[in-house]
Amino acid sequence: MNLKSKSSKYFQRHALICALIALPLLAAQGQNAPADTPKKDAQGIVLANMDASVKPGDDFFHYTNGGWIRRTEIPGDRAAIGVFNALADLSNQRTVGLIEEAAKANAPAGSSTRKIADLYKSYMDEDGIEAKGLAPLRPHLDSIAAIRNKQELSRALGESVRSDVDALNNTNYHTPNLFGLWVAPGFNDSDHYAAYLMQGGLQLPDREYYLADSARMRDIRSKYHAHISSMLKLAGFTDTDARAERVVELEHGIAEKHISLAENEDIHKADNTWSQADFTVNAPGMDWAEFFRGAGLTKQASFIVWQPTAFTGESALVGSASLDTWKDWLAFHLIEAYADVLPKAFAEERFAFFGKVLSGTTEQRPRWQRGVALVNKDLGDAVGQIYAQRYFPPEAKAQAQAMVANIIASFRKRIDALTWMDPATKAEAQAKLTTLNVGIGYPETWRDYSAYEVNADDLFGNVWRSGLFDYQHDVARLGLPVDRREWCMTPQTVNAVNLPLHNGLNFPAAILQPPFFDPKAPAAANYGAIGTVIGHEISHTFDSEGAAFDSKGRVRNWWKTEDLAHFNAATARLAAQYDTYKPFPDISVNGKQTLGENIADVAGLSAAYDGYHASLAGKPAPMQDGYSGDQQFFIAFGQNWGRKDREAALRQQVMTDPHSPAEFRADTVRNIDAWYSAFEVQSGEKLYLAPTDRVRIW
Ligand SMILES: [Zn+2]
């Protein structure tokens, strides 16, 4: 449950993102031009980014961001641009600097410094990549071609599994492999790591891309068909049109068995424990013994199957669809997964479909930025350790810790003040805050990369081994005691995340800097910007998913019946409020799919507001540029969400992202009483809600 969201589809071997927002737009689609820095250093809110001609009560998003929106163009290599991009650019510039230093260090073979240098070098060696051509892929294509029966197919499907999904931290439900593994604390035994298996098998972002009967989706499907054919042709296949047609048909069949994103977020539906024997009974078709052998999971006695009906349906397709179709599907998925590390023609064909058609981006990110993204993914902790030392001084950490403490204290007071909640339920909620593991800046321990082999002239091998290294790292942890202080984000990531099964929060160093956080800026701006981010992540502890976990991260109903009924009624009203938002006339926000994030936005904004007032310690709030403290607080919050999206990308977000579009996140303010008084918002203005229609949850 991150601030942003969604994983990069460029490197789909392992889970990439946690968060406040979804990441593909940042990580995958590019960060070329230095974005307009939305706030000047230490100035708090940025007047030039506002549009004072708009009434705040009519359109708070344009009131706070209209100036910036007017003068900002989305660069060709991006699907969207916003305040997060400016920070990601800075983090990228710093990271490439660290990589260049690593290259100059001439560090001994096997050291992390040498691996950083060599991995990046292998990515930048375009001539070497072209010269190798298809050679690195060939042995893998040959293994697929040699599959003789469904038993061997089942084994190959098992071998393709990676730990590339993450249901609750990264909110990444998508894997192009038939199934994905997530290793995390168990639903029913949160002291030990359990194996979660999740549906997969689709290249397109969601089942709706296969099933929806709109002109746009039909157009995407026809271009997807052509794209599969082109990829297979590049890899030397013949008869590629017919093969592509069968692959699309198979994926269509898989999509019919998938459950929707909104259903995926219901953890009670996901809590299904299957033994290995149960798979054969519940999901015939696959040779499950071979599958688990291929996946290296024969010793794992039980699994939590997130979407049982999808497992039954997908396994049946393994039995019923022809072997040749499955082999083409495997080959195409292999080529697609590694397209960015193969000769240019593959990367360009992949971008032409996933970048241009799906996201509306017109050009690829510069290669060096994609190289940085690769190093961040495959050696993220090695780079992050240096990044944190260099760019996150102890004073910044201390200030951020103080803000977090203040906002948690506000949250405690809000819980105590709830009139509808039983004291016993309140005590459990307070216990969750007491045991919350808050990580600021960087983790206490770092990943050991000694078993990961990197060669400066073997990009494909580096990437292949990284996927396996991560997978084996996760599989090796199954059954072991949980490290509650572990992180799921690197320090150089511009994002933040709540880990419900750990009852933990990560606030990476890269988001704890201007414009989100500036020690020199007025408290109003800091609390409105980073404070609401902190509040958002704390609030996930008590959102529609988080509320199902207790203080030890166990799935346990700690609510009194009436309290839960009240909570569910309030959150249903919030879902209904977001259902009314329409980014385009033909498409609405899905209030249920985005509910957890919307609750976190409302509750986080409330708690940060209280934290801000507590920080004033009874003193009057200083005015700045004619704006009161409360006005600065809300404007800073609105400016967090300054963002422009390409239409294709925004449509994709509405369908596949648990976060609402930025504009509606800025509109969260309409549920907060203090916003009405700060801007004298009156009945009749577009965002006005009568006091009884404002949704208060915590
Ligand atoms: Zn979130």
Side-chain angles (χ1 to χ4, degrees), residues 610-625:
D610 292 355
Y612 164 55
H613 277 266
S615 79
L616 293 171
K619 296 194 199 91
M623 297 278 287
Q624 171 119 351
D625 302 314

Side-chain angles (χ1 to χ4, degrees), residues 152-192:
E152 290 179 1
L153 171 67
S154 299
R155 184 165 184 141
L157 291 169
E159 285 169 354
S160 72
V161 174
R162 296 291 180 270
S163 44
D164 58 356
V165 285
D166 176 341
L168 294 173
N169 305 330
N170 297 337
T171 46
N172 170 23
Y173 295 94
H174 186 271
T175 172
N177 299 323
L178 194 62
F179 302 118
L181 176 72
W182 183 45
V183 174
F187 269 158
N188 308 299
D189 171 11
S190 65
D191 291 333
H192 297 92

Side-chain angles (χ1 to χ4, degrees), residues 62 97 111 115 133 143 163 177-178 215 296 299 311 334 336 354 397-398 403 428 453 645:
H62 282 92
S111 63
K115 285 175 186 177
S143 313
S163 44
N177 299 323
L178 194 62
K299 282 191 256 164
F311 276 74
L334 174 76
E336 195 73 68
F354 284 95
K397 180 159 178 152
M403 281 186 82
E428 290 284 348
E453 184 194 333
D645 294 85

